[in-house]
Structures are given as structure tokens and as C-alpha cells.
Amino acid sequence: MASSSSLSPPKVPKELYFINREKVLNSLRQHLTETSRPLHGFVLLQGGEEQTRYCTDHLELFRQESYFAYLFGVREPGFYGAIVSSFCFFVIAAKYVYIYCLVGENKAIILLSGDYNEKYMVNMVYYTDEIVGVLQGHYKEPGKPLLFLLHGLNTDSNNFSKPAQFEGMEKFETELNTLHPILSECRVFKSDHELALIQFANDISSEAHVEERFKAIELDNPMQTQSVYISRVLPSFLSAWFTFEDGDMALLDMGAEYQFYGSDITCSFPVNGKFTSDQSLIYNAVLKAHNAVINAMKPGVCWVDMHKLAEKIILESLKKGGVMVGNVDEMMAARLGAVFMPHGLGHFLGIDTHDPGGYPKVITVEPGCYFIDALLVPAMENESTSKFFNHEVIGRFKDFGGVRIESDVLVTANGSKNMTSVPREISDIEAIMAGAPWPSNKTAPSNS
């Protein structure tokens, strides 16, 4: 069903994880110095464990815990990783990195080979029952060895990361507050190696989105569309609003992951390949907001201001199209932008689809405009906001659904670069759905 891709995946450089560890250690060292704390201890993380399906012995598809993947790149379950130094007075440095594996099921024979030392640029490999002895042997300070463990809240899921646990932990002092914010912030700023992986994930996902547009008219149900995408890019995620009745809009939110690093792209288009005037109105409103935000993005720009910019542009377009009436600034003050776009403008992107961190480096830009009764009806009935709605016109959009346009954007020193390459203009979308190639024969849109 799906055509093969012409894209070749980039080689993952072994320096990638070494660079990530160096970045974290430098940040940790700086933090300890600034807070007048001793420069000794061990950074210790526990990787992900295999999970079974409920009470059965069926193993679910394993994906490495993201912080562990960021530092070590190990794809298999059941590992620990620690970072220590050979200098007794300067323990937090990147001199030694240990990866431990669980004993049993012949894993030791496979995972304790020299390939792992070379593949992940680590010095030594030990069994898990050697953790206590190895760490104690490299700790030259008085008292119990200090372990910096990963523990902190993920504000997207409201779940906490899991600190490493192993038999014999009572022989160590543990510190749970320092490592998580430092690691999270380091993940925001991507190295050139990381950006190459994210770019490839974007390239293959962009190609798959175009393929979906070719196939959409021919398919009968959502599961067929999902199978086309998954057959092209695995692993992947798919979250979509779409039907396959003539005149409907499809909204596909999907992106591939490559070597832990992901992409997240949303495209909206008419299932029958031709935009109606109402579809064009809403689509162009969102596209105008999408483009304006990307053009305005650069270091020092407030993300809240970008969100408000997107809302204002969408409201202005709705007013111009006769859906809304009145003063747009007053609409903004009444928070009517959130009625049509009830989600955030974007999120951080990297090893996780919703990556952690504080300052945006690689971030999604995904404005949307939706017609949701649960939000529209209260606003249209409210005394203070009812006046802004053209009640007769907005009735046409009762079953419209919505439009979202999402691209992955790299914030650079001078501005931003769009890493996603899919057709966005209505003329290009209609041409592709009619069978035209992409990129088109005319000059392709710039990614910068």
C-alpha cells in the first residue's frame, strides 16, 4: 500500500551520548560550585524495565526511559548507568561511565561485550550485583558515597521520574533535588548530532504526511489511514480527527521517532481534495497565525506573546470572514481566543514528544481553530461575550470540526528554522491531492 522512502537514515555518532553526559556534568559542576557544595558524588540513573500486558507473560514493546536514553543511548531494558571521576577531589566529571546489566537469560553474554564500550563510549561494564562494590571502590571521600538520583515532576503527565533503586542502597547517601532540573534544562539545548536525528524524523514524517494526502480519497476508514502511516515510519504515534465523507476536513497529528528523537507534525486538509470557502476561511486563519509566529520567533521573544499573537490573528480572520463581530482587542480581553484554540501554542520536542525544559530551542508551533459546542455555546450565551458572535453565520460551522497546523521549529541565534517540509498553501495541498508531486516543480517553500 505504501511506497518506499528514498530517504537514508543518518548514522548515529557514538559521540552523541558522550557529549550529552559532558553537558550535564558541566552544568552539575557549575551548580555545585555556585551553591558552595562539595564537588564529589556519583550521577546514577536506572533505565527502563520490561513490562508485561497486565497479568499475562506477554511483553509490551519496550522503549527506553528518556533521561537514560539521553545520557547513555542504551536500547535494551534492565540497565543502570553511573558517571564518576578518577580524581578523588573532583568526582563529578566524565572520566568513567559504567553501565550495568541484569544477570540472567544469557543477557550477560550479549550485553557485556566490548561492543557496548565502543557503541556508547563507556569505559567499563559490570553486573548489577557489583554496583555497590564498584561505586564504593571509586569513592575516596569520608563517609557514605553520595548518589545524585533522578527525581522530579513531569508537568505534562503530572508523574514523577523514578529514582534508581538497587540492593544495598542503604550504604549510600542519596540526593533527589539537584539532578532532575539540570538534566531537564540540558535536554532543551540540542547538539548538532541531536538536530540531525530530529531533522531526519521530520523528513520521513513530512514524506509520510504527503503520502497520506495521496491515499486519503481512496481509503474507507481511519484504520486504513493509520496502516499506511505506520507501514512507512516505525515507531510512530498517530492522533487524528478525521472522517471520510465528502466535504469533511481531516486532521492528522503524527510523527516518526528515530533513535529516540522524534517529530510532531499536524496537517489539515479536505478529504475530497478541494477546499470549500468556509474551509479556506478557517484554514487560512490558522496558517496565517502559524506563519506569523514562526517569523517572529527568536531568542528573547516571550512565548506567551506568541500564543496571544496566534489567537489575535485567528480572531481577526474570523471577524474578516463574518464569523465574529466587534473589536478584536475586546475579544482578546474576554479570552475568546481560547474558545477557538483551547490548547497551548506548542511544546518542547526532542527525545519525548512533549520534551521537558525551560527555554525553547526545538519547539512545535501548532495553532488551531475548532468549533466545539462545549466551549462555543457558553460563550455565545454569556451576556458579556454573546455580542461578538455572528450567530447566524457561526451556525454553518456547527459540524465543521477544526483545523490545526503544526510544524517543528528550531530556535537559532538569529531567528528560527522550520524543520518540517510539507505543503501548507491551499493551492499546493489541492495540487498534491490531485496527483502532483511534492516538492512541486516551482520553487519549494523555504525552511528558514
Side-chain angles (χ1 to χ4, degrees), residues 2 39 45 55-56 65 88 107 145 160 166 177 181 199 204 211 237 257 262 279 310 331 341-343 368 394 402 435:
L39 295 172
L45 277 77
C55 65
T56 73
E65 193 278 327
C88 61
K107 289 183 180 178
F160 284 87
F166 59 90
N177 299 316
Q199 185 62 69
I204 196 71
E211 176 75 6
F237 61 86
E257 178 181 291
Q279 288 171 344
M331 296 182 204
M341 191 174 79
H343 57 72
I394 206 169

Side-chain angles (χ1 to χ4, degrees), residues 57-272:
D57 62 351
H58 178 90
L59 290 174
E60 300 283 5
L61 179 66
F62 176 75
R63 200 273 193 181
Q64 186 59 265
E65 193 278 327
S66 294
Y67 286 101
F68 196 84
Y70 175 76
L71 286 179
F72 299 101
V74 177
R75 305 185 67 84
E76 295 80 10
F79 276 74
Y80 292 79
I83 309 174
V84 303
S85 170
S86 61
F87 301 106
C88 61
F89 60 92
F90 204 63
V91 179
I92 300 176
K95 181 61 178 177
Y96 291 110
V97 180
Y98 300 94
I99 296 179
Y100 310 94
C101 86
L102 294 174
V103 181
E105 300 181 4
N106 293 324
K107 289 183 180 178
I109 296 174
I110 300 171
L111 302 183
L112 289 181
S113 68
D115 292 343
Y116 272 75
N117 299 62
E118 175 69 18
K119 184 175 182 179
Y120 303 116
M121 289 190 73
V122 297
N123 298 78
M124 287 175 268
V125 182
Y126 293 91
Y127 292 105
T128 49
D129 59 5
E130 295 179 286
I131 291 178
V132 174
V134 169
L135 293 183
Q136 286 182 331
H138 280 84
Y139 193 78
K140 308 301 181 184
E141 303 295 322
K144 292 182 178 180
L146 174 63
L147 301 180
F148 289 95
L149 304 180
L150 185 66
H151 179 68
L153 179 67
N154 183 309
T155 55
D156 288 307
S157 66
N158 210 34
N159 294 326
F160 284 87
S161 55
K162 177 185 174 184
Q165 295 181 331
F166 59 90
E167 189 174 346
M169 284 198 70
E170 69 279 358
K171 298 177 181 179
F172 298 85
E173 297 288 344
T174 58
E175 210 277 12
L176 297 175
N177 299 316
T178 299
L179 185 59
H180 186 270
I182 288 174
L183 251 176
S184 296
E185 189 71 7
C186 285
R187 281 176 58 180
V188 173
F189 298 92
K190 271 64 176 182
S191 67
D192 289 342
H193 296 315
E194 291 177 293
L195 290 175
L197 301 183
I198 294 173
Q199 185 62 69
F200 177 74
N202 264 272
D203 291 343
I204 196 71
S205 297
S206 297
E207 191 177 77
H209 270 279
V210 173
E211 176 75 6
E212 285 296 341
R213 290 206 181 105
F214 282 126
K215 301 292 183 182
I217 301 175
E218 305 169 12
L219 303 179
D220 298 323
N221 58 63
M223 286 307 297
Q224 282 184 273
T225 294
Q226 184 172 350
S227 69
V228 171
Y229 184 70
I230 291 179
S231 68
R232 289 181 65 80
V233 284
L234 276 174
S236 62
F237 61 86
L238 173 63
S239 170
W241 297 356
F242 53 97
T243 62
F244 290 88
E245 295 181 10
D246 187 36
D248 285 344
M249 288 287 290
L251 187 160
L252 270 64
D253 180 353
M254 57 193 190
E257 178 181 291
Y258 177 67
Q259 298 293 333
F260 299 122
Y261 288 86
S263 59
D264 190 7
I265 302 170
T266 303
C267 294
S268 300
F269 56 95
V271 171
N272 64 13

